[in-house]
Amino acid sequence: GNQLIQIAREKAGIIKRNIPVAVGLQKKTVATYLKKIILNKKLKHMIEGKDFIVEEKKKGVFWVHELNSGKKFLFKTGLLGRHQMHNAALAWATIKFLPLTYNLKKLQKSILKTSLPARIEIIKGSYRDAKLIFDVAHNLDKIEGLLKTLTEQYPNRSFVFIIGLMKDKEYSKILNRLLKYSKHVFFVTLHTHRSLKGDELKPSLKKKITCVESMKDAITQANRLHLENKTICVTGSFYAIEAMSKMMK
């Protein structure tokens, strides 16, 4: 809605005259807004949906179709989630504006080897009897993306979420979305003045989730839950991921 356009307007501040622009997959209202700015400024551009499209072949494997030339390019990404295919295609589109001749095979290899910490990051080895995943999803849109990826990649897992958030987030909507997909949610008060505290949650939410004071408490209690195919996902703010990482060292 209007909030999306407001964010798009702020982000569009980086669009300058005589500088090419590459735009990845966007919601229709945002794509229309950005396209109007780009065309009005008569900028060179690569816009997904207008100049190129992404076609998924199988998990992590996809074609990028360049619409003007009719050419198509095959890529594979090791990053989880369909959105990562679109991100990789955007990288390809951006490279086309650089004053260099790129080697397609090297680009394909680079995209395959790319890693992104704390973005659907599977922690090597499991944490006791559970699969452990880190993902920085600090707003409602990112939470929706996380849930979509988790349910697509791991349809038979029992999810337990550990989350810490800042005060300025739509915490009620975020926590209610997590509750819909999880067996249990632990809310951690993070050690920063901007952190949302457990005692600040609405009473209706407090009845459904467990508020704890540290990541150690959260992971300890999460491991006590007797669930088949348990997956523990640590999410929310970057501070939440940092706190869990430090606790595990």
Side-chain angles (χ1 to χ4, degrees), residues 80-116:
L80 296 178
R82 286 193 173 126
H83 62 289
Q84 298 295 1
M85 294 186 290
H86 295 277
N87 289 340
L90 180 60
W92 163 84
T94 303
I95 287 172
K96 291 181 71 64
F97 290 124
L98 299 180
L100 51 82
T101 301
Y102 72 90
N103 182 293
L104 179 59
K105 287 186 177 180
K106 287 184 177 179
L107 178 59
Q108 291 167 326
K109 188 175 180 179
S110 295
I111 287 175
L112 177 59
K113 287 189 170 184
T114 297
S115 62
L116 196 57

Side-chain angles (χ1 to χ4, degrees), residues 10-239:
E10 292 173 0
K11 300 292 186 184
I14 66 170
I15 298 176
K16 307 297 182 184
R17 290 196 180 277
N18 303 317
I19 304 296
V21 182
V23 180
L25 185 65
Q26 303 290 333
K27 291 186 177 178
K28 187 175 180 179
T29 52
V30 175
T32 301
Y33 177 79
L34 293 176
K35 191 187 301 181
K36 183 178 179 181
I37 292 175
I38 292 165
L39 295 180
N40 283 343
K41 291 181 182 289
K42 298 180 180 179
L43 301 175
K44 291 182 180 179
H45 58 270
M46 287 290 286
I47 301 173
E48 183 169 351
K50 176 183 178 295
D51 304 299
F52 67 96
I53 58 173
V54 175
E55 177 193 357
E56 183 179 11
K57 186 177 180 182
K58 59 181 180 180
K59 282 186 180 180
V61 181
F62 59 100
W63 290 101
V64 177
H65 295 264
E66 188 175 23
L67 300 181
N68 288 339
S69 68
K71 294 178 180 179
K72 63 179 183 178
F73 307 89
L74 185 65
F75 294 99
K76 182 177 181 180
T77 174
L79 299 175
L80 296 178
R82 286 193 173 126
H83 62 289
Q84 298 295 1
M85 294 186 290
H86 295 277
N87 289 340
L90 180 60
W92 163 84
T94 303
I95 287 172
K96 291 181 71 64
F97 290 124
L98 299 180
L100 51 82
T101 301
Y102 72 90
N103 182 293
L104 179 59
K105 287 186 177 180
K106 287 184 177 179
L107 178 59
Q108 291 167 326
K109 188 175 180 179
S110 295
I111 287 175
L112 177 59
K113 287 189 170 184
T114 297
S115 62
L116 196 57
R119 297 292 188 183
I120 317 287
E121 179 187 9
I122 301 171
I123 305 306
K124 288 187 177 180
S126 58
Y127 192 83
R128 300 191 185 172
D129 65 335
K131 182 185 289 291
L132 183 62
I133 295 174
F134 287 178
D135 187 76
V136 177
H138 51 83
N139 57 43
L140 186 59
D141 189 54
K142 296 296 184 185
I143 287 291
E144 295 287 5
L146 168 63
L147 292 171
K148 183 178 180 181
T149 299
L150 289 178
T151 51
E152 285 177 352
Q153 297 290 330
Y154 308 109
N156 300 313
R157 304 293 297 188
S158 298
F159 297 111
V160 176
F161 290 97
I162 297 174
I163 186 170
L165 293 167
M166 299 296 104
K167 293 179 180 179
D168 59 346
K169 303 303 177 183
E170 298 176 289
Y171 77 85
S172 291
K173 291 181 180 179
I174 288 172
L175 294 175
N176 278 313
R177 290 300 290 160
L178 292 183
L179 285 165
K180 184 177 179 180
Y181 287 87
S182 68
K183 297 296 183 180
H184 204 94
V185 175
F186 293 91
F187 184 85
V188 183
T189 298
L190 303 171
H191 297 292
T192 171
H193 69 282
R194 294 176 52 225
S195 174
L196 179 68
K197 295 178 173 56
D199 58 14
E200 295 175 319
L201 299 182
K202 292 179 180 179
S204 58
L205 279 172
K206 285 184 181 180
K207 294 178 182 178
K208 301 175 184 176
I209 67 176
T210 301
C211 294
V212 293
E213 292 298 317
S214 71
M215 285 294 173
K216 185 176 181 180
D217 290 340
I219 199 72
T220 299
Q221 293 187 45
N223 265 299
R224 288 175 183 163
L225 297 174
H226 297 288
L227 299 170
E228 188 175 350
N229 295 323
K230 182 166 57 178
T231 293
I232 301 172
C233 182
V234 184
T235 189
S237 167
F238 279 98
Y239 289 101

